[in-house]
Amino acid sequence: MKANLWMGKKDVRVENVPDPKILDQRDAIIKVTSTAICGSDLHLYNGFVPTMEKGDILGHEFMGEVVEVGRAVRNLRVGDRVVVPFPIACGRCFLCQKGFYSLCENSNPNAWIAEKMMGHSPAGVFGYSHMLGGFAGGQAEYARVPFADIGPLKIPAGLRDEQVLFLSDIFPTGYMGAENCNIQPGDTVAVWGAGPVGQFAMASAFLLGAERVIAIDRFPERLRMARDKVGAEIINYEETKVLEALTEMTGGRGPDACIDAVGMEAHAPGLQYAYDRVKQATMLETDRPIALREAIMACRNAGTVSVIGVYAGFIDKFPMGSVMNRSLTIKTGQCHVHRYLKPLLERIMKGEIDPSFVITHELPLDDAPKGYDMFLNKEDDCIKVVLKPEGKATIH
Amino acid sequence: MHIKETIIINRSPEEVYAFWHVYEDFPSFMLDLESVSQSGPKLLHFKTKPFGGESDEWDAEIIIEVPFSEIAWRSIKGAKVENSGSVRFEPATGGRGTVVRLECDLTLPTTEAIKAKIGKIFGEDPAQSFKKILRASKQILETGGIVISEASISPGHPAQPPSDSELPLVQREYHRLYPVIAEQ
Ligand SMILES: NC(=O)c1ccc[n+]([C@@H]2O[C@H](COP(=O)([O-])OP(=O)(O)OC[C@H]3O[C@@H](n4cnc5c(N)ncnc54)[C@H](O)[C@@H]3O)[C@@H](O)[C@H]2O)c1
Ligand SMILES: [Zn+2]
Ligand SMILES: [Zn+2]
């Protein structure tokens, strides 16, 4: 089959690899009909996540048709259309049973590597480094899905791939980011990063009852999407000082909750950016926490800072004094996608949200390298790329 | 060398003990073993998979067997790597399953040639290979089998499916199938 392979920094290639096979009784094989490129994939593309190997199949956002099931998989049948959550979870361990699926205690065969870096290991993830399991990803014609009796969500007829594909990751991720803010009537929520994850965090903040949502980014097309499609107020951080603007917009109190939907490769105009670039390049810190620092400083006293942008290692100049003295709550995590599948599918079916609004480009799988490049460089106002193993290019 | 590793398994001490008590089944989760056979009432014969063409074999006696609580062993004179140890089972707090504690004393031989071989049998880092054994037992008891990824095919293998010739390295048939824990 064809698959999109990580070959090194800024080098992905679509090549032929063996077809996946059932390796375990709880596996299923999916024929992929749609798969997306995520901001998290850019961290791999830019070489910021350790333990990638040449030839790893990328991709953790995918859906398709079941073509084979292992003998312990009783809930799926050949021909079912399913969306696959990006964390791999057994459903049976202590943390899975508490609903923390992205922290499954069993699904990472390379847990020992992650333990060395982080103390304890998170769950395995499709196509996301050997430290997180070494699982083949879904940017391919077919994918093996472990624990298929727990993960995949069956999609009722009548919904297009584009409406449900993002249940695999970015819609639940944005939703969890907003849910972690414990939103109360009258709340104002500020979101750093108007990428696809940020867009869903903003839309979810409204679904969960926020009165005002403020988007912070520098790309006009992304801010426009946040304003026109989601209903957010916007701040372009290249034109406006963010802290001053937020103070002014919230009567001096600060947003009740701040969401970091940027992560470890944050950009900033000016000196701070140079400082963090140098530290990162010389390995004195692994991540650039520019948006996170600003989110902390901006947040109102006793507010919540919700971190869904991905961090991999260590950060520098973390304003702990601000967190401690002002009773801030920090909530974070890789999304526990399984928890949100059914409730968010229901919201889609009720017409409360149509997640396809973030898609700007649809490309055949063969053009994955072009898709990565466009998404990274925001070429042609690219916001979200969907890859079609059997498809033609369309521009939304 | 003294090694101590521990893990919590989401099953009762009775179930976990019953699993560990079937000595012939050790190779299903101690993947470097080829076979374990009962060679006397309290005697076990261990045989490893061949490393560099040669298997290692030794005998051990079971010195403690307390149902649902402890199993302890000691290798018998003649083993290349003298080893003794115990597995203890304790109820975890709040009914959260069983704490399994594995302790082992290894007398590592001195010559380089044998050291290299031990490296293969117990892994580069013996503590790590004991942790692996605990993890594998947890995975079987909780999920029904040992969890594998495409990269499990061989060290450094990229995350892509096995070729037909690599398939036997990762496709597993369990001779003992544990029913998965009912969903809550
Ligand atoms: N927690 C999870 O489970 C989870 C799941 C998916 C993605 N993520 C992470 O979410 C983050 C965003 O993903 P995405 O797909 O939207 O990526 P993206 O790269 O498209 O979006 C990031 C956005 O942040 C903006 N940005 C950069 N620096 C900024 C700053 N200082 N202030 C404000 N905005 C800034 C960029 O201009 C860009 O629009 C990534 O770190 C990704 O890894 C987390
Ligand atoms: Zn993603
Ligand atoms: Zn689990």
Side-chain angles (χ1 to χ4, degrees), chain A residues 227-242:
Chain A
R227 189 191 58 207
D228 299 346
K229 302 274 171 78
V230 180
E233 298 160 63
I234 57 177
I235 298 175
N236 186 327
Y237 68 80
E238 280 191 324
E239 294 165 2
T240 315
K241 289 209 170 97
V242 176

Side-chain angles (χ1 to χ4, degrees), chain A residues 89-93 96 104-106:
Chain A
C90 80
R92 305 293 193 241
C93 68
C96 277
C104 172
E105 296 178 330
N106 287 313

Side-chain angles (χ1 to χ4, degrees), chain A residues 18 21, chain B residues 162-168:
Chain A
K21 292 147 194 103
Chain B
S163 61
D164 288 338
S165 63
E166 290 170 329
L167 195 55

Side-chain angles (χ1 to χ4, degrees), chain A residues 88-97 100-101 103-107 147, chain B residues 142-143:
Chain A
I88 299 172
C90 80
R92 305 293 193 241
C93 68
F94 174 70
L95 284 163
C96 277
Q97 294 200 328
F100 294 104
Y101 294 94
L103 298 168
C104 172
E105 296 178 330
N106 287 313
S107 65
F147 303 125
Chain B
E142 291 184 357
T143 79

Side-chain angles (χ1 to χ4, degrees), chain A residues 1 5 17-26 53-57 71 90-94 97 105-107 109-112 115-116 130 133-137 144 147 150, chain B residues 8 10 96 128 131-132 135 138-139 142-152 156-164 167 170-174 177-178 180-184:
Chain A
M1 68 163 180
L5 310 181
V17 298
D19 286 344
K21 292 147 194 103
I22 298 277
L23 301 181
D24 184 275
Q25 52 178 348
R26 292 177 69 187
E53 299 277 348
K54 240 191 175 116
D56 286 350
I57 302 180
R71 66 196 148 91
C90 80
R92 305 293 193 241
C93 68
F94 174 70
Q97 294 200 328
E105 296 178 330
N106 287 313
S107 65
N110 293 332
W112 62 277
E115 281 171 355
K116 281 200 176 134
H130 288 240
F135 289 93
R144 177 180 76 98
F147 303 125
I150 294 296
Chain B
I8 301 185
N10 202 5
R96 295 175 185 180
Q128 199 47 258
K131 185 82 203 232
K132 253 193 187 159
R135 277 217 171 92
K138 174 180 168 79
Q139 291 173 348
E142 291 184 357
T143 79
I146 295 175
V147 179
I148 39 186
S149 70
E150 283 67 21
S152 314
H157 192 286
Q160 49 174 268
S163 61
D164 288 338
L167 195 55
V170 277
Q171 202 164 39
R172 297 187 202 281
E173 265 308 315
Y174 303 103
L177 211 58
Y178 278 80
V180 287
I181 298 171
E183 243 186 303
Q184 282 183 345

Side-chain angles (χ1 to χ4, degrees), chain A residues 209-251:
Chain A
E211 190 163 319
R212 295 173 70 192
V213 173
I214 303 168
I216 301 147
D217 205 305
R218 78 182 148 122
F219 292 101
E221 67 280 6
R222 293 180 174 222
L223 289 169
R224 230 179 294 128
M225 181 182 277
R227 189 191 58 207
D228 299 346
K229 302 274 171 78
V230 180
E233 298 160 63
I234 57 177
I235 298 175
N236 186 327
Y237 68 80
E238 280 191 324
E239 294 165 2
T240 315
K241 289 209 170 97
V242 176
L243 288 180
E244 279 175 23
L246 288 172
T247 303
E248 140 90 42
M249 289 163 92
T250 58

